[in-house]
Amino acid sequence: MARIPHRIYLAEESLPRQWYNLRADMKELPAPMLNPGTGRPATAEELYPVFCKALADQEMDDGTAYVDIPEEVMEMYRIYRPSPLVRAYNLEKELKTPARIYFKFEGNNTSGSHKLNSAIPQAYYAKEQGLRGLTTETGAGQWGTALAEACAYFKLPLTVYMVKCSSEQKPYRKAIIENFGAKVIPSPSATTNAGRAILAEDPNNSGSLGTAISEAVEAAVTTQGYRYVLGSVLNQVLLHQSVIGLESEAAMALIDEYPDVVIACAGGGSNLGGLIAPFMRDRIRGKNKTRFIAVEPASCPSFTRGKYAYDFCDVGKITPLAKMYTLGCGFKPSENHAGGLRYHGMSPILSKLYHDGYMEAVAVEQTRVFEAAELFARCETILPAPESAHAIRAAIDEALRCREAGRSETILFGLSGTGYFDMTAYQAYNEGRMNDSIPADEDLRKGFDQLPKVE
Amino acid sequence: MARIPHRIYLAEESLPRQWYNLRADMKELPAPMLNPGTGRPATAEELYPVFCKALADQEMDDGTAYVDIPEEVMEMYRIYRPSPLVRAYNLEKELKTPARIYFKFEGNNTSGSHKLNSAIPQAYYAKEQGLRGLTTETGAGQWGTALAEACAYFKLPLTVYMVKCSSEQKPYRKAIIENFGAKVIPSPSATTNAGRAILAEDPNNSGSLGTAISEAVEAAVTTQGYRYVLGSVLNQVLLHQSVIGLESEAAMALIDEYPDVVIACAGGGSNLGGLIAPFMRDRIRGKNKTRFIAVEPASCPSFTRGKYAYDFCDVGKITPLAKMYTLGCGFKPSENHAGGLRYHGMSPILSKLYHDGYMEAVAVEQTRVFEAAELFARCETILPAPESAHAIRAAIDEALRCREAGRSETILFGLSGTGYFDMTAYQAYNEGRMNDSIPADEDLRKGFDQLPKVE
């Protein structure tokens, strides 16, 4: 075969026309969401006041394997998809590894990350339902940017509750969201009961993702014609993100490759779940022996040190309960922690797969993550988002293992986004001001003690 | 023919293997650079103490039409090239224009702009010559970032003199340059005679591109084994940037298109000169009637209000003299001016073409530029650099003209970079704090009066 090019682009007509729903192939399904009031499985109807109807239906649909992507969504996908699959020749050379390293690059759009893949259908279904607007929350800011882009495209009003410390530390993130016409409210705010309650106790509260979720949900259910949307964790989000994995599978087939290892960072799990989808399908069907590695920060170790239990998805405890690996909904990573991946829980689908042994997980410390990010940037000339750099760290570690063992494995990792808006963290790393902090066992225990009691 | 896709990607093997030198086809050559000491044409030998040998030779070579791209440069080009040619379907729809709008997108690399296309060969030739390091200056920061990337790749030390106010207003630009291992010195600095002289007169001087050039040149010629490199204006830079135009030509041929109008922003002219190269060749040869439009800021109107005359390339008056459209080397655009495109002069090649009637120029005010940027971002989901948004403004104006006239022309413009590091300007626009300022005739006259007297 001819030499594999650096960037493997699928033709536009090879863009998948259907999303893939991994649940349809799982031998055991994830545990259902529970209504915290009744303790019984939530129904789609119960979700309609919070979520768009079509999205609530997707959330509950465990059986349909392939879901048509609406043509209006395809139209916007075509602006930036198919995204490139890149052979990291220079990184391989630098590491002197016999492994072949590929990454799927999702940073080639203005939102700078994979989040746009789910933002587009979520905005589309809301528009189609005739809604007047949407609310959401954003932490690191990638989801807020992506949803603002999608809402601008579909001409739908959007209110973003942005974690207050993040809106202060990242004024440019706030600006780009506003640039796409969305309204940004630093959270906790005086615009909701949830926000006011927190401010009454602690006027200087700097916010958290869980609090911002509480506010955004409250704002949605109390505003006529509004619904709430979420950028990760949910089944519907993993469904939309499957486009990453489907394209990766098709691009690898073009060059006659198949991954021995698939690696992605894991916060809520949307990027990981999307990338692995078709490869995990084949693993479940016994067609491959591919390894799957979730990479999480040592400072927010949901998989590696969390509990597999029912928990609230938000701090305010107003969402349904999900069974997932969790550190407890009150968990906050250390203030030293850079970037996203700070969510207390994890996608129920991925939690189940991990619990059933289909997936591995590693926790990595942030100085080693930024070390990997810098090496990668110098080799491949893409400055990764700190989140994505977790996957790079693990991919490098796997490539070094291949060097030790003399194995030429095929490594595929997800480069979910770029780090243009994370320069504060890079500055801290450059100037030697970055340090690692890991939650104490005792603190984790306190979080576990507060998990809701569910049979 | 099948519907034209949104993004037209050339295959990796279609990446041009030669740059194209427009001078080889020009009926009259640009006036030669002059040695300011002797008043006589500068020779390549006179440039060797300042520039790498290979680059000085390229600077002087008016006759060779096609120059082989070294394989080492090709290797790094392949990381991010060919860059996409994009059909702006959504923008067309929004404008209700019968015109077909295409843009060549050069923002798909970490430097975020086309500057990398010249940074790579410049770093390569320096490495090949066995130099110990390079110096350069950067204003808006795109060139500094690109060169830092290229130098990191070729493992070559780099010192960047960064306009002081820019290094303060854009700390993230400074961080990303440092991230690639380069040393950043805010200019004016105490490290050079040029800098010390300016600081002695005005300790709070906030710097200018011309001053930073003076410092970078001085540092290069006074440091053993160092040379100076420049990211625009020069013939060598336009040569390297021809890769943009050559790829555009090949991609348009794939879809059976040819531009009626080619549009790019013009600061020093590297992006414009690169994009138009093959189309201008055909125009000179009488093979097309394509129009070429240079777009410059009304606050720094080199083409539209400048003089075609010999001038220094820097404020410190230590560089050779170039015949070009200039506002005088002491010119500074208003402090309200956002982004780059603030250079007093213009590429001698483009100056000559404009002077001989091959090219048009328009000056646009920045509020109209940001208005176009915002519309474009919402339609095409790419946040443009303020510089590139000048081209968008003119492309929109041309598309509206086509609507009025009912003409379905093919418009091609250069989207030279992304605006991730320019959010301060976008914030100012969003918040209504942006205003336009245009130099008074009297101020321009003062600049013209100080032009060097050259026969």
Side-chain angles (χ1 to χ4, degrees):
Chain A
M1 196 177 64
R3 182 171 186 274
I4 293 165
H6 284 73
R7 297 209 159 190
I8 301 110
Y9 284 108
L10 293 174
E12 184 174 294
E13 59 269 24
S14 304
L15 215 169
R17 303 196 64 87
Q18 296 184 308
W19 294 301
Y20 168 61
N21 179 6
L22 190 48
R23 284 169 289 169
D25 278 282
M26 287 171 72
K27 298 216 165 129
E28 286 180 33
L29 285 172
M33 272 198 282
L34 299 184
N35 180 324
T38 65
R40 304 183 56 168
T43 63
E45 288 71 20
E46 284 171 354
L47 298 181
Y48 289 166
V50 180
F51 294 123
C52 306
K53 190 174 169 309
L55 292 165
D57 292 342
Q58 289 181 352
E59 192 62 28
M60 293 301 177
D61 182 354
D62 293 333
T64 309
Y66 291 91
V67 177
D68 287 345
I69 305 177
E71 178 51 30
E72 292 82 349
V73 172
M74 289 295 293
E75 272 298 304
M76 193 172 177
Y77 273 178
R78 289 192 192 105
I79 298 177
Y80 68 102
R81 304 206 70 84
S83 73
L85 177 76
V86 186
R87 172 81 183 264
Y89 279 117
N90 294 309
L91 184 62
E92 291 172 15
K93 200 166 127 190
E94 184 74 21
L95 298 175
K96 301 184 178 63
T97 178
R100 292 184 300 285
I101 308 176
Y102 294 89
F103 61 90
K104 180 70 167 168
F105 182 39
E106 292 291 321
N108 267 1
N109 66 74
T110 285
S111 81
S113 83
H114 70 293
K115 295 284 185 185
L116 194 54
N117 302 331
S118 184
I120 294 170
Q122 296 207 41
Y124 164 72
Y125 288 123
K127 184 76 181 181
E128 216 217 7
Q129 191 178 329
L131 295 177
R132 291 181 46 229
L134 290 174
T135 70
T136 196
E137 77 293 325
T138 199
Q142 293 180 329
W143 169 246
T145 310
L147 191 64
E149 274 189 72
C151 284
Y153 181 90
F154 289 113
K155 300 187 163 62
L156 192 69
L158 169 67
T159 303
V160 180
Y161 286 86
M162 186 169 188
V163 178
K164 192 185 280 171
C165 61
S166 179
S167 75
E168 285 161 3
Q169 282 164 16
K170 301 188 174 192
Y172 292 165
R173 267 291 179 197
K174 183 166 173 284
I176 195 169
I177 295 171
E178 288 172 341
N179 212 67
F180 282 104
K183 184 174 174 188
V184 177
I185 300 178
S187 163
S189 77
T191 67
T192 65
N193 289 329
R196 282 187 293 267
I198 287 167
L199 289 175
E201 248 185 49
D202 174 11
N204 297 317
N205 188 295
S206 64
S208 74
L209 203 54
T211 301
I213 295 177
S214 301
E215 289 205 81
V217 172
E218 181 184 328
V221 298
T222 56
T223 310
Q224 177 71 30
Y226 269 65
R227 293 293 185 281
Y228 164 74
V229 294
L230 179 65
S232 190
V233 182
L234 298 175
N235 301 336
Q236 59 190 263
V237 178
L238 265 69
L239 174 73
H240 307 147
Q241 294 294 356
S242 67
V243 70
I244 304 174
L246 294 166
E247 281 185 13
S248 301
E249 182 191 32
M252 294 198 99
L254 273 186
I255 52 169
D256 209 15
E257 279 276 28
Y258 197 90
D260 297 302
V261 193
V262 183
I263 299 168
C265 65
S270 69
N271 152 57
L272 172 66
L275 178 66
I276 68 173
F279 306 110
M280 182 61 85
R281 174 198 62 208
D282 291 352
R283 163 81 186 266
I284 293 171
R285 291 179 182 173
K287 289 191 181 170
N288 69 29
K289 295 192 170 171
T290 299
R291 292 168 57 219
F292 299 91
I293 305 178
V295 194
E296 58 186 15
S299 51
C300 190
S302 318
F303 269 136
T304 51
R305 297 176 66 199
K307 266 222 156 65
Y308 188 46
Y310 269 106
D311 195 7
F312 289 96
C313 300
D314 69 325
V315 171
K317 303 189 177 180
I318 62 175
T319 62
L321 299 172
K323 188 162 183 187
M324 57 185 177
Y325 279 84
T326 178
L327 299 165
C329 69
F331 179 83
K332 271 202 223 179
S334 153
E335 301 223 335
N336 292 320
H337 172 84
L341 308 182
R342 48 175 68 239
Y343 185 63
H344 67 277
M346 183 58 67
S347 145
I349 292 176
L350 298 178
S351 294
K352 177 67 179 163
L353 288 168
Y354 178 65
H355 195 68
D356 291 349
Y358 287 101
M359 204 163 63
E360 307 164 36
V362 293
V364 289
E365 293 174 11
Q366 66 177 355
T367 50
R368 289 192 72 232
V369 166
F370 278 82
E371 192 185 295
E374 194 172 80
L375 177 68
F376 179 82
R378 290 186 187 194
C379 290
E380 300 293 331
T381 80
I382 295 172
L383 189 83
E387 297 82 3
S388 321
H390 286 70
I392 297 173
R393 175 73 264 169
I396 289 175
D397 291 344
E398 286 292 315
L400 294 175
R401 174 188 60 71
C402 287
R403 184 175 74 185
E404 293 306 307
R407 295 173 64 94
S408 60
E409 295 181 15
T410 299
I411 298 170
L412 168 65
F413 73 88
L415 189 69
S416 53
T418 49
Y420 297 113
F421 287 96
D422 301 283
M423 294 313 301
T424 307
Y426 275 102
Q427 271 178 322
Y429 175 73
N430 288 344
E431 293 165 10
R433 288 187 283 104
M434 178 165 280
N435 55 56
D436 298 316
S437 58
I438 296 178
D441 285 338
E442 197 188 306
D443 291 335
L444 291 186
R445 249 194 321 271
K446 279 184 207 159
F448 299 147
D449 287 346
Q450 287 170 30
L451 288 171
K453 308 292 172 245
V454 176
E455 278 320 292
Chain B
M1 196 178 62
R3 183 170 187 272
I4 294 166
H6 284 73
R7 297 209 158 189
I8 301 111
Y9 284 108
L10 293 174
E12 185 173 293
E13 60 267 24
S14 304
L15 214 169
R17 303 196 64 87
Q18 297 185 307
W19 293 301
Y20 167 62
N21 179 6
L22 190 49
R23 283 169 291 170
D25 278 282
M26 287 171 71
K27 298 216 164 130
E28 286 179 32
L29 286 171
M33 271 198 281
L34 299 183
N35 180 323
T38 65
R40 303 182 56 169
T43 64
E45 288 72 19
E46 285 172 354
L47 298 181
Y48 290 165
V50 180
F51 294 124
C52 304
K53 191 174 168 308
L55 292 166
D57 292 343
Q58 287 181 352
E59 192 64 27
M60 293 301 177
D61 183 354
D62 293 334
T64 308
Y66 291 91
V67 177
D68 286 345
I69 305 176
E71 178 52 29
E72 291 83 350
V73 172
M74 289 295 292
E75 271 299 303
M76 193 173 176
Y77 273 179
R78 289 192 192 104
I79 298 176
Y80 69 101
R81 306 207 68 83
S83 73
L85 177 76
V86 186
R87 172 81 182 263
Y89 280 116
N90 294 310
L91 183 62
E92 290 172 15
K93 200 166 127 189
E94 184 74 21
L95 299 174
K96 300 185 179 64
T97 178
R100 293 184 300 285
I101 308 176
Y102 295 89
F103 60 90
K104 180 69 168 168
F105 182 38
E106 292 290 321
N108 267 3
N109 67 75
T110 285
S111 80
S113 83
H114 70 293
K115 295 285 185 186
L116 195 54
N117 301 330
S118 185
I120 294 170
Q122 296 206 42
Y124 164 73
Y125 288 123
K127 185 75 181 181
E128 214 216 8
Q129 191 179 329
L131 295 178
R132 292 180 46 230
L134 289 174
T135 69
T136 196
E137 77 293 324
T138 199
Q142 293 180 329
W143 169 245
T145 309
L147 190 64
E149 274 189 72
C151 284
Y153 180 89
F154 290 112
K155 299 187 164 57
L156 193 69
L158 170 67
T159 303
V160 180
Y161 287 86
M162 185 167 188
V163 177
K164 191 184 281 172
C165 61
S166 179
S167 76
E168 286 162 2
Q169 282 164 16
K170 300 188 176 191
Y172 292 165
R173 267 289 178 199
K174 183 165 172 286
I176 195 169
I177 295 171
E178 289 172 341
N179 212 68
F180 282 103
K183 183 173 171 187
V184 177
I185 299 179
S187 165
S189 77
T191 67
T192 65
N193 289 329
R196 282 187 293 268
I198 288 168
L199 289 175
E201 250 186 45
D202 174 11
N204 297 318
N205 188 294
S206 64
S208 74
L209 203 53
T211 300
I213 295 176
S214 300
E215 289 205 83
V217 172
E218 182 184 327
V221 299
T222 57
T223 310
Q224 178 70 31
Y226 268 67
R227 292 295 184 280
Y228 164 74
V229 294
L230 179 65
S232 190
V233 183
L234 298 174
N235 301 336
Q236 58 189 264
V237 178
L238 265 70
L239 174 72
H240 307 148
Q241 294 294 356
S242 67
V243 70
I244 304 172
L246 294 167
E247 281 185 13
S248 302
E249 183 191 30
M252 294 197 98
L254 273 186
I255 51 168
D256 209 15
E257 278 277 27
Y258 197 90
D260 296 302
V261 194
V262 183
I263 300 167
C265 65
S270 69
N271 152 58
L272 172 66
L275 178 66
I276 68 173
F279 306 110
M280 181 62 84
R281 174 197 62 208
D282 291 352
R283 163 80 186 267
I284 293 171
R285 292 178 180 175
K287 288 190 183 170
N288 68 32
K289 295 192 169 171
T290 299
R291 291 168 58 218
F292 300 91
I293 306 178
V295 194
E296 58 186 16
S299 52
C300 190
S302 318
F303 270 136
T304 51
R305 297 176 67 198
K307 266 221 157 62
Y308 187 46
Y310 270 106
D311 195 6
F312 289 96
C313 299
D314 69 325
V315 171
K317 303 189 177 180
I318 62 174
T319 62
L321 299 172
K323 189 162 183 185
M324 55 186 179
Y325 278 84
T326 177
L327 299 165
C329 69
F331 180 81
K332 271 202 223 177
S334 153
E335 301 222 336
N336 292 320
H337 172 83
L341 308 182
R342 48 175 67 239
Y343 186 62
H344 66 277
M346 182 58 65
S347 146
I349 292 175
L350 298 178
S351 293
K352 178 65 178 163
L353 288 169
Y354 178 64
H355 195 67
D356 291 350
Y358 286 100
M359 204 163 64
E360 307 163 36
V362 293
V364 288
E365 292 174 12
Q366 67 178 354
T367 49
R368 289 192 72 232
V369 167
F370 277 82
E371 190 186 296
E374 194 173 81
L375 178 68
F376 179 81
R378 292 187 187 193
C379 291
E380 299 293 330
T381 78
I382 295 173
L383 189 82
E387 296 82 1
S388 321
H390 286 71
I392 297 173
R393 176 73 263 169
I396 289 175
D397 291 344
E398 287 291 316
L400 294 176
R401 175 188 59 73
C402 287
R403 185 175 73 184
E404 293 306 307
R407 295 173 64 95
S408 59
E409 294 181 16
T410 299
I411 298 171
L412 168 64
F413 73 87
L415 189 68
S416 53
T418 49
Y420 298 113
F421 287 95
D422 301 283
M423 294 312 301
T424 307
Y426 275 102
Q427 271 178 321
Y429 175 74
N430 288 344
E431 293 165 10
R433 288 186 286 103
M434 178 165 280
N435 56 56
D436 298 316
S437 58
I438 296 177
D441 284 337
E442 197 188 306
D443 291 334
L444 292 184
R445 249 196 320 271
K446 280 183 205 157
F448 299 147
D449 287 346
Q450 287 170 30
L451 288 171
K453 307 295 173 241
V454 176
E455 279 319 293

